[in-house]
Amino acid sequence: MDLRFRGAEPSEEERAAVDALLGPPASAWDGGGRSEADLRVAVRAESQRDMLLPALHAVNDRVGWISEGALDYICRRLTVPPAEAYGVATFYSLFSMEPRPKRVLHVCTDLACQAKGGEDVRRQVEERLGPPGTSWHESPCLGLCERAPAALALEAGTPPKAQVYAPANASLTLGSPTPNGTTPSLDVAGDAPVAAAVPQAGQDGLTLLRRVGTTDPASLDDYRAAGGYTALRRAFELGPAGVIREVLESGLVGRGGAAFPTGRKWDATARQPDHPHYLVCNADESEPGTFKDRVIMEGDPYALVEAMTIAAYATGCAKGYLYIRGEYPRATARLQHAIATARARGLLGDDILGKGLSFDIELRRGAGAYICGEETAIFNSIEGQRGEPRSKPPFPVEKGLFGKPTVVNNVETLVNVLPILERGARAYAAAEPKLFCVSGAVERPGVYELTFGATLRELLDLTGTTGTTRAVLLGGAAGAFVTDLDIPLTFEGTRNAGATLGSGVVLVIDDTVDMKRLLLRIAEFFRDESCGQCVPCRVGTVRQEEALHRLSRRVSDDDLVLLREVGQTMRDASICGLGQTAWNAVESAIDRLGVFR
Amino acid sequence: MIPLQPPRRLIDVQIDGEDVRVPEGSTILDACHAAGKDIPTLCYGDTLTPKNACRVCVVEVEGARTLAPACSRKAEAGMKVGTDTERARQSRKVVLELLGSSVDLSTTPRAAEWTEEYGADPARFGDDAATVEQPAKVDNDLYVRDYSKCILCYKCVDACGDQWQNTFAIAVAGRGFDATISTEFEAPLTDSACVYCGNCVEVCPTGALSFKTEFDMRAEGTWDESRQSETTTVCSYCGVGCNLTLHVQDNKIVKVSSPHDNPVTKGNLCVKGRFGYGYV
């Protein structure tokens, strides 16, 4: 490849940020100073493109934005053409290619926050800081819905800092967040204890949430004392094929939204003759209204590490990537700590527990792109490409990350494997747990664990509702509004009701919420988050938003027809699930709630 | 001597109820062509790996939840494909409307014909519908980038990048509706890695990339394809022997293309063959 640079030089700080990640450059061939010796050897340029996203993070984290000099230097170090790297950097919303202050406030304006007065917070911030764009941004769902309205401040530096404001209110301080410290702390300033997000914390009979709030998430010993790593030992007894058999028998299906049988995915990957196999844990939880994976990762991080180890053992993966969304600083810190201690104690790396299993986990941070939660977009993102979905077939089990057979599982799905092995498939299936993220007009918002079969009404009895419930948004922005509270919360039950469990979102809307505004926010969300690859989604989401703007001013049959036609085409002809579901919630609001009648 | 290819199995597929036999590995589009069907395509390039981004070639595959892009979905034995079903036609219509309302398709071959065939009405999104309208980028003497006409098919990026030229001067930047084809930091082409092979111009399906000569003549109103003749000859610069097709209007060369079925160049040229015709 021709690599041509425009001669922009990085600052010392930018260079140091990249070198801290990649080590010092070896020679002039990869961005170092030119010496006599360099002129006498030709070094083959090996692209390290998969380090592009971490390198961009390194600069953005330390300096706050990415200059042309910094991008040039990253490209020299990794042998990536600058135009391509620019295309990648501009894809992610957490990166800035223009100078901006080190401290940037992200104010959530998404569904759960909007239902809880997020608009007031947004207005206050605007009054104090001016129009959005530099020192503050309007943000898609921050995953703090149980404490809505929420805001998150990210501050560049060494180390970078984060501060959570949830619930954010008038007293939201906009100054420097934390006392200066040189060691990264495990917790994020201002964040409430994880147990606050789990109203059931400490109750008997919990499966997936049993350790959240009761076991120290930073202590491997506490985790083991609370039953940790018995599932992995059981897995070693069963052997890889035995583990897959148990998972198949348990009937576990994916909890990320698509509900594909996990055992079949594992089995198909394990059988692939092509090697290596990869494991990807999809922790890019960005569906508006969803925060269950965050709560698990913050409250029980070793469970995820153990579950990934079991998945890798069963499917023959030596390497796993944990792709976590960039807006989750505390979960990232907790997992970094968990992975490091597990590695130090021989629970990751070579010869795990003396059983000859080699497996390690690399943590990858996303940078603000909902689409990267799509199972193939995640591969492109890890590989250092734009996070655009790939067309299927071929499916990931055949050609996934780096073109190799890959298992992709959501956090909640993986964590379910622990009770399957601890209790046996049959006992697990008899009381299969499911997490729900309840927010909006409820008394006790948070993550709830129920066994399959409970109805929406039973769940809302637990959480309590405030005001007069008008509708419930099931499954998030990609889901649908329902009014029938007797829907059984199972994959089949919700499907029969023309809805979906999706990622477990239960957003309760009372009659104070302006539905037209809420629909506009949904349309705006999909327009913002469309990757832009295919026409139905790239243009369709814009046309949907335009039509909703017109409709919220004046109802017209033409616009309703137009919405339906564009919506159906997005559903039929888009490459991936984002475009295919971008019309679901709007359609259900029109048909079931009669919003534009 | 033509090297023997390994034998390929033939598979049977049904296109609109008609049985067609195609070699294994063929796409649905190949099968449609074998059955004599005319499927509209925009982002499909005969010399590139299909990107299936435009979605005008979608067809209905029996049993599938969504429509399939004919250009890239492989035909499978026993597959039943409907190319002209209500659902496929409706999707194509709306996709043409979405494109027509956001992009200037005036120089896209067959766009007008398909718009009429599918009854598409791009104007129904209103006068305020967002478009990608922007001034043309004229920063060199060889070719012009008019991104008002860009449907973001990725063909130029693929041709510049790993599929042909390996120059990587341009890539897709930004996201969603704001995504554009761009050099790094939107630098002028003359500052970029571009080597002016013009292979991006060759594959552009809409005229968003065009020879400067063509761009200028269109602006003057003198571009007239009906008065042009095409002559295929051999490039005289080096010994490779690339085929050139000279497009001549009024006894002057107005642009140079290259036959896509040439087994060596597959439509690609270098800067000399593509633009170095001043000496003729």
Side-chain angles (χ1 to χ4, degrees):
Chain A
M1 95 184 41
D2 302 336
L3 276 190
R4 189 171 186 276
F5 297 98
R6 303 202 316 139
E9 287 293 323
S11 70
E12 278 312 308
E13 196 182 19
E14 289 162 344
R15 193 187 293 269
V18 178
D19 289 351
L21 175 77
L22 302 172
S27 73
W29 292 98
D30 63 353
R34 190 178 294 280
S35 72
E36 271 292 291
D38 288 336
L39 301 172
R40 299 186 177 278
V41 289
V43 175
R44 193 178 148 176
E46 292 280 0
S47 178
Q48 288 187 70
R49 178 111 184 210
D50 67 305
M51 288 306 285
L52 182 55
L53 191 58
L56 293 169
H57 263 306
V59 173
N60 202 67
D61 277 353
R62 184 171 310 197
V63 187
W65 67 287
I66 299 160
S67 71
E68 185 167 1
L71 192 79
D72 250 29
Y73 184 61
I74 290 171
C75 289
R76 282 180 203 270
R77 295 297 317 270
L78 303 176
T79 317
V80 175
E84 295 260 305
Y86 180 73
V88 172
T90 52
F91 186 83
Y92 296 99
S93 63
L94 290 184
F95 296 146
S96 172
M97 309 308 283
E98 283 160 14
R100 67 173 179 189
K102 288 211 164 189
R103 184 180 154 85
V104 177
L105 185 70
H106 298 264
V107 179
C108 182
T109 53
D110 226 318
L111 308 180
C113 288
Q114 204 184 76
K116 283 280 196 177
E119 178 57 28
D120 293 337
V121 178
R122 201 202 69 83
R123 205 177 317 111
Q124 281 166 20
V125 171
E126 185 160 20
E127 273 165 21
R128 288 157 74 178
L129 297 179
T134 50
S135 61
W136 77 280
H137 292 263
E138 291 173 9
S139 169
C141 182
L142 291 169
L144 297 162
C145 319
E146 83 278 13
R147 283 170 282 155
L152 171 71
L154 296 175
E155 187 174 325
T158 343
K161 288 179 214 135
Q163 183 166 17
V164 166
Y165 300 98
N169 50 36
S171 64
L172 189 133
T173 51
L174 301 169
S176 187
T178 43
N180 281 329
T182 45
T183 47
S185 69
L186 201 55
D187 266 305
V188 170
D191 218 345
V194 184
V198 183
Q200 296 165 311
Q203 270 180 29
D204 287 340
L206 293 178
T207 302
L208 302 174
L209 298 176
R210 69 194 136 150
R211 280 183 290 259
V212 177
T214 59
T215 309
D216 180 2
S219 165
L220 181 53
D221 291 326
D222 275 15
Y223 176 70
R224 296 182 79 153
Y229 281 100
T230 50
L232 181 61
R233 287 179 197 283
R234 176 77 186 131
F236 285 136
E237 283 167 35
L238 291 167
V243 174
I244 292 177
R245 203 167 48 240
E246 285 288 309
V247 175
L248 270 171
E249 274 176 27
S250 73
L252 175 67
V253 300
R255 304 289 200 241
F260 186 83
T262 306
R264 269 173 56 198
K265 196 186 267 185
W266 287 20
D267 188 43
T269 310
R271 285 172 191 277
Q272 293 292 325
D274 194 9
H275 274 86
H277 296 177
Y278 288 104
L279 170 69
V280 174
C281 170
N282 187 346
D284 189 62
E285 176 180 58
S286 312
E287 181 67 37
T290 318
F291 47 99
K292 63 193 168 74
D293 292 348
R294 172 180 64 79
V295 168
I296 294 174
M297 290 188 288
E298 290 178 350
D300 198 8
Y302 290 103
L304 183 55
V305 174
E306 184 187 354
M308 283 182 73
T309 311
I310 293 168
Y313 175 65
T315 56
C317 304
K319 174 137 197 200
Y321 286 88
L322 204 170
Y323 189 93
I324 188 167
R325 69 178 301 208
E327 293 91 338
Y328 278 179
R330 180 158 76 178
T332 307
R334 293 250 164 113
L335 281 164
Q336 271 165 346
H337 177 80
I339 291 168
T341 44
R343 195 180 289 136
R345 301 268 290 270
L347 292 164
L348 282 177
D350 290 330
D351 199 18
I352 293 171
L353 288 176
K355 300 285 183 183
L357 170 67
S358 284
F359 174 67
D360 213 330
I361 299 174
E362 188 174 331
L363 192 91
R364 281 297 175 96
R365 272 162 70 207
Y370 170 70
I371 186 61
C372 289
E374 201 275 344
E375 63 173 355
T376 56
I378 213 169
F379 304 148
N380 279 332
S381 185
I382 293 172
E383 289 176 20
Q385 310 280 348
R386 292 164 55 78
E388 292 170 355
R390 302 174 181 174
S391 50
K392 294 180 279 190
F395 291 94
V397 293
E398 206 182 318
K399 280 190 192 311
L401 187 62
F402 301 114
K404 298 294 179 183
T406 305
V407 194
V408 197
N409 282 134
N410 162 265
V411 173
E412 186 191 344
T413 315
L414 283 166
V415 172
N416 268 284
V417 172
L418 304 177
I420 290 174
L421 293 186
E422 287 159 4
R423 296 177 189 172
R426 203 165 297 161
Y428 166 87
E432 191 177 348
K434 174 76 193 95
L435 299 183
F436 295 95
C437 317
V438 189
S439 59
V442 292
E443 280 165 21
R444 292 170 297 279
V447 178
Y448 284 82
E449 178 180 318
L450 292 178
T451 48
F452 271 105
T455 64
L456 184 53
R457 188 182 303 279
E458 283 162 10
L459 175 62
L460 295 186
D461 285 345
L462 274 179
T463 67
T465 52
T466 57
T468 312
T469 301
R470 179 167 184 207
V472 174
L473 180 60
L474 268 189
F481 290 96
V482 296
T483 49
D484 175 11
L485 297 187
D486 292 312
I487 297 177
L489 295 172
T490 58
F491 289 105
E492 216 160 51
T494 47
R495 203 179 309 127
N496 291 342
T500 163
L501 269 195
S503 51
V505 172
V506 176
L507 176 62
V508 181
I509 314 285
D510 66 14
D511 52 6
T512 63
V513 173
D514 181 346
M515 282 305 294
K516 288 173 185 165
R517 282 203 66 114
L518 198 69
L519 292 190
L520 268 175
R521 175 59 212 171
I522 290 174
E524 192 184 280
F525 173 80
F526 283 112
R527 183 257 290 151
D528 268 351
E529 298 297 334
S530 168
C531 77
Q533 188 181 203
C534 70
V535 174
C537 177
R538 180 177 75 233
V539 189
T541 52
V542 173
R543 296 291 178 256
Q544 171 171 280
E545 190 190 357
E546 287 169 349
L548 284 173
H549 269 292
R550 286 195 297 270
L551 280 166
S552 57
R553 289 192 299 267
R554 193 177 64 85
V555 175
S556 100
D557 287 341
D558 284 352
D559 276 326
L560 288 170
V561 169
L562 189 149
L563 267 182
R564 270 181 215 287
E565 286 191 23
V566 170
Q568 191 57 41
T569 301
M570 287 198 284
R571 187 176 284 161
D572 275 347
S574 296
I575 290 180
C576 79
L578 188 150
Q580 289 162 10
T581 58
W583 153 244
N584 285 359
V586 181
E587 182 186 37
S588 68
I590 293 173
D591 289 348
R592 292 183 200 153
L593 308 182
V595 171
F596 295 113
R597 210 173 288 144
Chain B
M1 194 176 74
I2 299 168
L4 278 177
Q5 305 263 322
R8 285 208 284 175
R9 255 191 308 178
L10 294 174
I11 54 168
D12 290 310
V13 289
Q14 226 178 59
I15 308 286
D16 294 337
E18 187 184 325
D19 289 321
V20 192
R21 186 163 279 197
V22 289
E24 199 171 32
S26 304
T27 61
I28 294 178
L29 189 66
D30 295 332
C32 290
H33 287 159
K37 305 282 173 190
D38 179 30
I39 309 281
T41 58
L42 280 171
C43 73
Y44 168 75
D46 54 355
T47 63
L48 294 160
T49 305
K51 184 72 186 166
N52 68 70
C54 77
R55 318 302 276 191
V56 297
C57 71
V58 285
V59 293
E60 194 165 350
V61 175
E62 200 179 282
R65 183 173 52 88
T66 55
L67 300 175
C71 68
S72 63
R73 179 65 52 83
K74 296 268 184 290
E76 292 161 28
M79 202 179 234
K80 290 190 174 119
V81 177
T83 66
D84 214 32
T85 62
E86 173 87 42
R87 202 169 151 213
R89 287 188 70 93
Q90 174 69 15
S91 266
R92 284 185 209 151
K93 180 194 99 151
V94 176
V95 164
L96 287 166
E97 287 175 336
L98 294 173
L99 279 174
S101 61
S102 55
V103 182
D104 171 8
L105 296 180
S106 62
T107 53
T108 305
R110 300 194 68 186
E113 176 195 331
W114 291 327
T115 302
E116 198 183 322
E117 182 188 339
Y118 289 95
D121 173 22
R124 73 177 172 136
F125 298 115
D127 297 335
D128 298 333
T131 70
V132 296
E133 196 180 345
Q134 57 188 291
K137 289 180 165 42
V138 188
D139 54 12
N140 67 86
D141 290 337
L142 301 183
Y143 71 95
V144 175
R145 298 177 289 156
D146 185 357
Y147 290 137
S148 300
K149 295 178 173 175
C150 177
I151 60 165
L152 224 68
C153 69
Y154 291 65
K155 275 160 119 172
C156 56
V157 176
D158 289 345
C160 185
D162 58 357
Q163 291 194 29
W164 292 118
Q165 190 61 29
N166 264 286
T167 290
F168 299 94
I170 46 171
V172 179
R175 191 165 82 192
F177 196 75
D178 299 329
T180 54
I181 308 290
S182 177
T183 57
E184 65 273 24
F185 284 85
E186 293 173 51
L189 218 49
T190 44
D191 278 6
S192 76
C194 178
V195 296
Y196 305 96
C197 61
N199 292 333
C200 54
V201 183
E202 179 79 42
V203 297
C204 179
T206 63
L209 301 174
S210 65
F211 271 62
K212 179 85 166 23
T213 44
E214 178 177 343
F215 182 81
D216 291 343
M217 286 171 76
R218 280 188 190 275
E220 288 164 15
T222 53
W223 180 262
D224 183 358
E225 267 165 40
S226 67
R227 275 160 54 211
Q228 290 172 10
S229 62
E230 292 178 18
T231 312
T232 298
T233 177
V234 176
C235 180
S236 55
Y237 276 105
C238 73
V240 172
C242 303
N243 281 179
L244 306 178
T245 301
L246 307 176
H247 299 244
V248 177
Q249 181 178 332
D250 302 335
N251 228 14
K252 269 171 65 183
I253 298 173
V254 290
K255 76 170 184 182
V256 177
S257 62
S258 178
H260 289 198
D261 57 2
N262 183 299
V264 178
T265 59
K266 297 201 162 57
N268 297 305
L269 292 171
C270 74
V271 56
K272 290 190 277 188
R274 181 87 60 190
F275 294 106
Y277 53 78
Y279 69 94
V280 178

